[in-house]
Amino acid sequence: MKKSGGGVLFSASDLMRFSGCSHATVLDLAYLNGEDVFPCEDSEDARLLQGQGDAHEAAYLEDLKRELGSVVEIDRGGLKFNAEVTETALREGRPAVFQGAFLSGNWGGWSDFLIRVEKPSALGTFSYEVIDTKLKRSVHPKHVLQLALYSDLLASIQGVAPEMAHVLLGDGRKVSLRLADYQHYARSVRQRFERFVEAPVPTRPVPCSDCGLCRWRLHCDEVWQHHDSLYNIANVTRGQVRKLEAVGLKTMEAVACSDGPVRGMAPDTLDRLRAQARLQHARKSGAPAFEFRPHQPGKGFDLLPEPRPGDVFYDIEGDPYFEGGLEYLHGLWFDGTFKAFWAHDHKAEAESLAGLLDFFRVRLEAFPQARIYHYAPYEVTALRRLTTKYGIGEAFLDKLQTEQRFVDLYAVVRGCLIASEPNYSIKSMEVFYDLERVGEVKTAGGSVIAYEAWRDTRDQAILDEIEDYNRIDCVSTEKLRDWLVSIRPHLEWPVPGKAGDDREHEEDEKVASLRALLAAANLTEDHRELLFNLGMFHRREVKPGQWAVFDSISREDEELLDDLDALGGLVAKGPAEPVKRSFQRIYAYPPQETKLRAGKSVTVSSSDGAPS
């Protein structure tokens, strides 16, 4: 967005920013008009993303040169001049244009690639379509807005609308979009943006998925702090903020001092938010503090098993910017020792996974009561993805989950206490057990940035820093577990999950047999993988439903209430009664939207073991 010829020139970036956060557009306009607001510099993450995006784009440019022989490359300069050079190249019928520029009315910008297709237009027997390179592994609606804009600008030159537009994703796949399916949506967003810019409506900062990379993130943080915003309350949702504001509670202090009901909000949820606000408000001038939440069967401390010999503390470092993603480090802390499984490419990632699962298998055979502790769901989610991706240890992972070997301490913390900190990251929890972090790498984002720096420099000292950071995370997980045990009320320890069945070896034999059969066939590696995945399809298709059951154990009732595939707030109205070879139990639950229908089978999480 910039002033041009007495008006304002808009770009695809302005449109995409507006679609995510209209307040960012208001701030863009204020800055453009010379008001006293200033964007911050790009974060390290944003610079890393830009660098990765440039590399992805450059790699595709080289591919096109090899494929087409020549590509017109536009050197970015003045937009008007670049647009004229681009139009000349298109009229000459060149095979491809890199950084092709457009300027029409209030809209302009540089596309990634324009590719010639043999479809007649005002240019001749040919026309062009837009290709954009993106690091993401799936197409986002914002990408569609950008492609549709450039395609409309392209149509004004060649006289016909392109039929297709394309996105080259970060994993190397090219996704083609039929523009007729999206243009009405894209143009309506563009029109809404233009009306908004012409007559902006009042906005305010609201947290969204764009905040992390937004150039206004520091400005919005300052506003939230200055106004003691409700969004400062840890784990508050937009819906909860709306309900609180509807009854006049518009600051964190107001919530902390309030009493009485809030329409549409469950009393337990309101009590939690009040306590959270009160503790955070007191923390501004006081020491860290926490309060226990009311005990709820199957939640909080009921998810914390008794410490056992052989317990392992586990943390993963992953790089989402690596092509196809890469879990480059699995770290384990046990018996005062740290063990690292490194991987710097996908082949090594599979080997690292196999080594990790072998370690778990041997460890649990030696210590049958041991558990694997981690913080937040990422580790288990990553293992599910990796075992499926490589066809390694799928049955063993199922067994570990059935036996409830993984203990998510984040779920324990969220369910058992309310802390005075602004969020519930493990770094925030460390104020309660005095773990001091040293070294250059101090955050997960910093680990990714450091790893990308290592990929450029191959400096072993960087890997050493990352490994030490991961080790400290694992040690912190153990210290957190020990602190939770030390403050735990005198309750009975939860009963361990039931032992998994012996199907693991049977499943592994089937997988090995299928692998051997395909290896003996005269097929390419890609065809082998395709047939292997087809052979595994029916076993894998039921797993998301099974995983959802395990995940629901640690989720809050308010989260389950918003889940259409679940029922939240269940209260047993009596004991379980035997019915033939099964059991029957009656529950009451609050009104909620759900996909569940009468007669459908359900799974209920019990507080004394695995779901039943």
Side-chain angles (χ1 to χ4, degrees):
M1 185 183 296
K2 64 179 182 179
K3 292 185 177 180
S4 175
V8 179
L9 181 65
F10 305 122
S11 69
S13 297
D14 299 322
L15 182 63
M16 292 191 291
R17 189 178 298 122
F18 170 77
S19 72
C21 177
S22 59
H23 186 66
T25 299
V26 169
L27 293 172
D28 285 343
L29 289 168
Y31 178 61
L32 186 68
N33 292 326
E35 296 182 28
D36 191 25
V37 292
F38 301 95
C40 61
E41 294 183 358
D42 286 343
S43 65
E44 286 188 287
D45 282 355
R47 289 194 292 271
L48 176 59
L49 271 174
Q50 183 62 53
Q52 290 288 328
D54 291 345
H56 182 41
E57 186 180 77
Y60 185 58
L61 174 60
E62 293 305 311
D63 289 344
L64 282 181
K65 287 179 179 178
R66 285 190 292 270
E67 178 186 345
L68 302 176
S70 68
V71 175
V72 175
E73 299 182 51
I74 307 295
D75 292 328
R76 278 206 185 196
L79 180 59
K80 185 175 185 296
F81 175 72
N82 282 171
E84 292 170 353
V85 174
T86 299
E87 183 169 346
T88 298
L90 298 182
R91 294 192 180 282
E92 291 174 354
R94 305 296 288 272
V97 179
F98 173 58
Q99 291 290 293
F102 299 109
L103 179 60
S104 178
N106 289 337
W107 291 95
W110 287 265
S111 62
D112 287 350
F113 297 92
L114 303 174
I115 303 296
R116 173 173 165 155
V117 294
E118 299 310 310
K119 176 186 174 183
S121 71
L123 303 176
T125 60
F126 57 89
S127 57
Y128 289 85
E129 293 177 348
V130 179
I131 297 182
D132 226 38
T133 56
K134 299 295 182 185
L135 289 176
K136 286 185 175 290
R137 299 176 212 174
S138 60
V139 179
H140 191 279
K142 290 183 180 181
H143 302 160
V144 175
L145 296 178
Q146 184 175 29
L147 289 168
L149 171 63
Y150 289 150
S151 295
D152 278 351
L153 295 173
L154 175 60
S156 67
I157 296 173
Q158 63 186 23
V160 296
E163 180 182 356
M164 308 292 287
H166 315 272
V167 183
L168 185 71
L169 298 170
D171 59 7
R173 291 182 298 119
K174 186 166 80 170
V175 177
S176 297
L177 305 174
R178 183 173 174 269
L179 287 166
D181 295 336
Y182 304 99
Q183 284 288 25
H184 291 298
Y185 157 73
R187 288 169 184 163
S188 69
V189 174
R190 209 180 309 157
Q191 291 165 3
R192 185 157 50 88
F193 169 78
E194 290 171 337
R195 290 194 299 268
F196 184 89
V197 169
E198 187 174 333
V201 299
T203 62
R204 62 171 180 168
V206 175
C208 67
S209 59
D210 293 342
C211 288
L213 299 175
C214 181
R215 65 181 190 155
W216 297 108
R217 64 189 182 282
L218 297 184
H219 172 86
C220 292
D221 283 341
E222 290 174 0
V223 171
W224 289 324
Q225 294 301 323
H226 178 74
H227 293 287
D228 194 29
S229 169
L230 296 180
Y231 289 113
N232 292 328
I233 301 174
N235 299 317
V236 74
T237 67
R238 285 192 192 186
Q240 290 165 351
V241 167
R242 284 194 295 270
K243 292 173 184 177
L244 292 169
E245 289 181 335
V247 296
L249 301 175
K250 298 186 177 181
T251 66
M252 185 163 66
E253 183 178 9
V255 173
C257 300
S258 67
D259 56 19
V262 170
R263 184 178 180 182
M265 186 174 290
D268 289 348
T269 300
L270 181 56
D271 289 344
R272 176 180 64 80
L273 291 174
R274 280 189 179 128
Q276 185 69 58
R278 176 167 39 78
L279 288 169
Q280 282 185 241
H281 186 68
R283 179 74 165 100
K284 292 179 180 180
S285 57
F290 69 90
E291 295 178 1
F292 289 127
R293 294 183 63 176
H295 177 253
Q296 184 179 0
K299 308 292 183 184
F301 284 119
D302 283 357
L303 299 174
L304 181 67
E306 184 177 7
R308 295 289 188 177
D311 285 341
V312 177
F313 303 88
Y314 175 38
D315 186 56
I316 290 180
E317 306 299 330
D319 184 355
Y321 308 128
F322 191 96
E323 185 174 335
L326 182 72
E327 307 302 339
Y328 57 86
L329 175 59
H330 299 266
L332 303 173
W333 177 255
F334 56 95
D335 304 335
T337 302
F338 181 71
K339 185 175 183 64
F341 293 88
W342 281 96
H344 301 306
D345 55 44
H346 289 144
K347 181 176 182 294
E349 185 180 52
E351 294 169 352
S352 173
L353 172 66
L356 175 76
L357 296 179
D358 284 344
F359 174 89
F360 285 157
R361 186 178 285 107
V362 171
R363 184 75 174 177
L364 296 176
E365 287 174 356
F367 300 96
Q369 298 299 314
R371 292 292 181 268
I372 303 163
Y373 292 82
H374 58 100
Y375 196 82
Y378 185 81
E379 280 69 27
V380 172
T381 301
L383 288 177
R384 290 169 178 170
R385 183 178 66 251
L386 292 174
T387 54
T388 302
K389 177 180 179 180
Y390 295 114
I392 295 173
E394 293 181 68
F396 180 55
L397 181 62
D398 290 343
K399 180 180 179 182
L400 293 180
Q401 292 178 98
T402 300
E403 295 178 349
Q404 294 181 299
R405 294 287 183 174
F406 294 103
V407 180
D408 181 0
L409 292 180
Y410 175 72
V412 177
V413 168
R414 284 285 309 275
C416 74
L417 59 83
I418 300 170
S420 57
E421 304 312 293
N423 61 63
Y424 281 66
S425 71
I426 195 167
K427 279 76 173 176
S428 293
M429 292 298 104
E430 287 167 2
V431 298
F432 296 109
Y433 48 92
D434 296 326
L435 185 140
E436 182 179 356
R437 289 180 178 266
V438 295
E440 293 295 321
V441 179
K442 292 185 174 67
T443 65
S447 173
V448 175
I449 291 166
Y451 185 71
E452 285 294 327
W454 173 82
R455 291 181 65 197
D456 290 335
T457 65
R458 302 290 162 163
D459 182 354
Q460 181 60 37
I462 296 176
L463 292 187
D464 293 342
E465 281 281 354
I466 294 172
E467 185 168 308
D468 193 56
Y469 162 76
N470 183 269
R471 179 188 63 81
I472 293 172
D473 262 2
C474 293
V475 171
S476 183
T477 304
E478 181 184 35
K479 286 183 174 292
L480 173 59
R481 192 280 306 267
D482 293 345
W483 177 72
L484 289 169
V485 169
S486 73
I487 65 170
R488 182 180 181 273
H490 294 291
L491 303 168
E492 290 187 11
W493 292 102
V495 177
K498 62 183 180 182
D501 55 37
D502 294 328
R503 286 187 300 172
E504 177 198 345
H505 299 296
E506 179 184 339
E507 291 290 324
D508 285 346
E509 287 176 2
K510 290 179 180 178
V511 170
S513 175
L514 179 58
R515 287 282 192 197
L517 181 66
L518 293 171
N522 185 23
L523 297 169
T524 66
E525 185 61 31
D526 287 345
H527 285 156
R528 286 196 194 99
E529 281 303 305
L530 175 61
L531 290 173
F532 175 78
N533 288 324
L534 286 172
M536 297 292 291
F537 175 79
H538 291 294
R539 294 176 207 169
R540 290 173 173 172
E541 70 171 336
V542 299
K543 289 189 177 182
Q546 296 170 343
W547 293 340
V549 170
F550 286 108
D551 294 343
S552 70
I553 297 173
S554 58
R555 294 175 66 192
E556 298 282 326
D557 269 344
E558 56 206 69
E559 295 174 309
L560 294 173
L561 286 168
D562 292 332
D563 186 346
L564 295 178
D565 293 316
L567 288 175
L570 269 67
V571 177
K573 305 305 289 184
E577 299 176 352
V579 176
K580 296 182 180 179
R581 296 184 179 181
S582 185
F583 292 91
Q584 174 178 286
R585 195 173 196 179
I586 297 175
Y587 291 86
Y589 54 88
Q592 57 198 278
E593 292 186 47
T594 180
K595 294 179 182 177
L596 298 176
R597 295 294 180 264
K600 191 168 184 177
S601 297
V602 296
T603 301
V604 179
S605 173
S606 64
S607 60
D608 56 354
S612 58

